[in-house]
Amino acid sequence: MTTPISIDFAETDLDALAGVEGKVAVLVTSDGKLDPAGRRVNRLTKQAIARLVESDRWEKVKLGQGFTLGFPAGLAAKSLLVVKLDRRPSVDDARKAGASLAKFKGKGALTVCAGATTRIDDLALGLALRAYDFTDHKTADETASEGASIMCSKPDEAREAAKAAMAVAEGVFFTRDLVNEPANVLTTQEFADRLEALKSTGLKVEVLEEAEMEKLGMHSLLGVGLGSESPSKIVVMEWNGGGDEKPLALVGKGVVFDTGGISLKPAGGMEDMTMDMGGAGVVSGVMKALALRGAKANVVGLVGLVENMPDGRAQRPGDVVKSMKGDTIEVINTDAEGRLVLCDVMWYAQERFEPIGMIDLATLTGAIIIGLGHENAGVFSNNDDICKAFLKAADAEGEGAWRMPLGQAYDDMLKSRIADMKNVGGRAAGSITAAQFLQRFVKPETPWIHLDIAGTASVKSDTMLAPKGATGWGVMALDRLVRDGYED
Ligand code: BES
Ligand code: MN
Ligand code: ZN
């Protein structure tokens, strides 16, 4: 399991700067101003920083980015990073600077001279998030990452502000670890075990086994798991940090591996389907973050954990299953399994918790990647207020999200000859018909958002705040949505 790198905050110690080993970073504003520590480093290096700042090269450095000077004369440090950042940076620039620091740092020790710069919590968050590295299965890679020390003018304030940010970082790491984990390790049982371990954070955690789901009539979810040796499960995580209000419900698709089932996927790229539990991963990470920072809100997270395998007992294309709601579904394609899992978990969530809002997350369709790429998740909603609040939160956290339409004509594409609906609508508008299928299991009075994160849950190249692999997209946006909209 990945733990965030340790970051400590200290008073600026000018006399120590010459002797600091490892790496050192200083901040320079866009108009070339240095804080006292930066000025001291500039003097020790015989104006190396001033010469850099006056050069053409510095103009090309954007806010939040840095320029490295190697083996600087006058310092014991191995290298010096000069970062362009204003005294009162935007959230985005502060996090970007943190990410630049993480890349510069590598595994060794880092000392940052941050002076009186504001948003040091966001700087620390960017540093922690970008320093994430999933090395659990690298046998040679045993050296632990050394910590970072941030010298600033108000270390006590910075440390306090960074606490909430680090709780969110731990939530993001929990999500990334789950999503990066291969499917032979992260079975439905292992997933449930890791969630049960969250009890230590104060979350209430409960696991529903197949027999119970059977009794509840969840044949849509159970049908997906028929071909797997791993038992299907639903895990319910409750955070009751608010008053007596009904909770906000978060529902996640947790397909620990998606072969497609009898509608088998082609071999090329199938290994990526180890991240088909991304929605459940985000729900779990948000719940952990809420617990760690002691959120004053009631939120319940539910994840449907199944494995979609082909087998003699697997469900067939053409099978008809009955959902917990009572509606029957003709399974045209066993590879459209996410919606079959979610519809039962969503119905259960509404029946049991009567939530004031429901947000489901799922790596639901390849079509959303065709439509929006890896920059934005697809957002579908039956309610403008909750949708706007979410889009605002996502924007504030720098997590791309784009609203997509819903409508009767799309719903009509799900008509089945022999059942109440079929599980696919055809090639056209594949992400929308998937959302439309889910909406059939949303009560009209429940404000609901569906997030299709197939393109954003994991990426093949580094992003600003994440190395390639699992991103943890959505943890920060949902944490903010709760903070801004559901806490008093
Ligand atoms: N898990 C996939 C969607 C997916 C594809 C996620 C690529 C991440 C990357 C989902 O279960 C699936 O197979 N969807 C099908 C639906 C189709 C059969 C209607 C798809 O997108 O092809
Ligand atoms: Mn599938
Ligand atoms: Zn899937």
Side-chain angles (χ1 to χ4, degrees):
M1 289 263 181
T2 310
T3 40
I5 59 159
S6 87
I7 300 177
D8 67 59
F9 301 88
E11 210 81 58
T12 303
D13 183 353
L14 294 178
D15 295 330
L17 290 170
V20 170
E21 290 180 15
K23 296 180 177 181
V24 171
V26 299
L27 309 181
V28 181
T29 63
S30 38
D31 53 1
K33 290 211 178 69
L34 289 157
D35 61 69
R39 285 201 293 276
R40 174 64 68 94
V41 171
N42 186 44
R43 196 165 342 120
L44 288 166
T45 59
K46 298 210 168 74
Q47 269 67 48
I49 299 175
R51 283 152 67 202
L52 167 65
V53 169
E54 279 153 25
S55 73
D56 298 346
R57 187 61 193 76
W58 186 247
E59 280 170 36
K60 296 196 188 84
V61 176
K62 298 193 184 100
L63 279 171
Q65 293 180 338
F67 188 91
T68 307
L69 300 171
F71 301 105
L75 298 183
K78 274 194 285 219
S79 58
L80 171 66
L81 185 73
V82 184
V83 177
K84 190 181 278 187
L85 190 70
D86 287 328
R87 279 285 149 77
R88 296 175 184 282
S90 67
V91 168
D92 200 51
D93 286 340
R95 290 181 184 178
K96 221 178 264 174
S100 300
L101 291 168
K103 282 184 272 179
F104 170 67
K105 176 183 177 299
K107 287 200 157 189
L110 170 69
T111 303
V112 183
C113 306
T117 304
T118 61
R119 298 222 152 97
I120 292 188
D121 51 338
D122 283 302
L123 184 110
L125 181 60
L127 170 53
L129 290 177
R130 191 61 181 77
Y132 173 88
D133 198 9
F134 185 68
T135 56
D136 291 13
H137 303 293
K138 297 259 195 197
T139 55
D141 208 342
E142 280 166 354
T143 45
S145 186
E146 288 184 66
S149 176
I150 301 181
M151 286 186 184
C152 54
S153 55
K154 289 178 182 152
D156 293 337
E157 266 178 38
R159 191 176 306 115
E160 199 47 43
K163 266 190 198 151
M166 289 307 129
V168 177
E170 286 204 47
V172 173
F173 292 170
F174 191 63
T175 302
R176 288 182 185 172
D177 282 349
L178 288 167
V179 174
N180 280 326
E181 203 69 273
N184 61 329
V185 175
L186 195 74
T187 58
T188 54
Q189 186 63 53
E190 172 67 16
F191 203 144
D193 289 347
R194 290 192 189 185
L195 298 186
E196 282 208 279
L198 290 180
K199 280 178 181 165
S200 66
T201 65
L203 282 168
K204 214 165 115 190
V205 185
E206 180 191 339
V207 183
L208 269 71
E209 304 291 351
E210 285 182 352
E212 204 154 343
M213 291 190 263
E214 204 61 78
K215 265 191 239 154
L216 288 161
M218 297 182 170
H219 303 290
S220 180
L221 182 151
L222 289 167
V224 176
L226 288 177
S228 172
E229 293 291 318
S230 294
S232 300
K233 293 170 191 293
I234 289 176
V235 182
V236 183
M237 294 162 273
E238 284 177 77
W239 177 251
N240 296 313
D244 308 324
E245 282 230 355
K246 298 284 183 197
L248 172 70
L250 306 177
V251 177
K253 167 181 173 183
V255 176
V256 294
F257 196 78
D258 180 14
T259 64
I262 298 299
S263 310
L264 194 63
K265 287 181 180 296
M270 202 203 275
E271 69 279 8
D272 291 343
M273 286 305 115
T274 187
M275 42 61 85
D276 208 23
M277 31 55 66
V282 173
V283 170
S284 308
V286 175
M287 296 310 295
K288 180 168 184 176
L290 295 175
L292 289 180
R293 70 172 181 78
K296 292 186 177 55
N298 295 337
V299 182
V300 57
L302 303 99
V303 294
L305 308 179
V306 303
E307 187 179 37
N308 189 17
M309 296 288 265
D311 176 80
R313 276 187 293 260
Q315 87 178 335
R316 293 153 289 259
D319 283 3
V320 173
V321 293
K322 191 176 220 155
S323 64
M324 179 185 173
K325 181 186 173 193
D327 291 357
T328 56
I329 305 160
E330 185 186 8
V331 181
I332 298 294
N333 190 322
T334 65
D335 196 13
E337 85 296 342
R339 62 200 77 179
L340 297 173
V341 173
L342 285 172
C343 71
D344 275 342
V345 186
M346 285 164 56
W347 194 256
Y348 176 73
Q350 292 167 97
E351 289 280 284
R352 176 166 166 193
F353 294 103
E354 295 168 20
I356 50 172
M358 177 167 68
I359 304 176
D360 78 82
L361 294 101
T363 49
L364 202 63
T365 67
I368 203 71
I369 309 177
I370 306 300
L372 299 175
H374 300 283
E375 310 306 318
N376 286 288
V379 181
F380 302 81
S381 183
N382 65 353
N383 180 294
D384 290 348
D385 292 334
I386 193 172
C387 189
K388 273 189 198 139
F390 177 77
L391 291 171
K392 194 171 162 223
D395 185 56
E397 294 297 321
E399 294 184 319
W402 194 262
R403 190 171 185 179
M404 304 281 287
L406 290 165
Q408 188 57 45
Y410 298 111
D411 186 76
D412 290 344
M413 292 157 81
L414 296 170
K415 281 187 180 144
S416 159
R417 183 176 56 86
I418 61 166
D420 296 335
M421 72 193 86
K422 51 184 185 176
N423 76 329
V424 293
R427 256 176 67 78
S431 305
I432 306 176
T433 52
Q436 216 63 66
F437 180 97
L438 297 178
Q439 193 175 5
R440 287 181 173 228
F441 298 87
V442 177
K443 298 184 180 182
E445 68 269 21
T446 309
W448 160 73
I449 302 175
H450 158 56
L451 299 171
D452 193 337
I453 61 170
T456 53
S458 113
V459 291
K460 301 265 186 230
S461 48
D462 297 348
T463 61
M464 178 176 97
L465 293 177
K468 53 170 111 27
T471 59
W473 182 98
V475 174
M476 296 196 296
L478 289 168
D479 178 72
R480 173 164 297 273
L481 180 76
V482 171
R483 207 169 342 137
D484 291 351
Y486 298 86
E487 291 186 58
D488 25 64

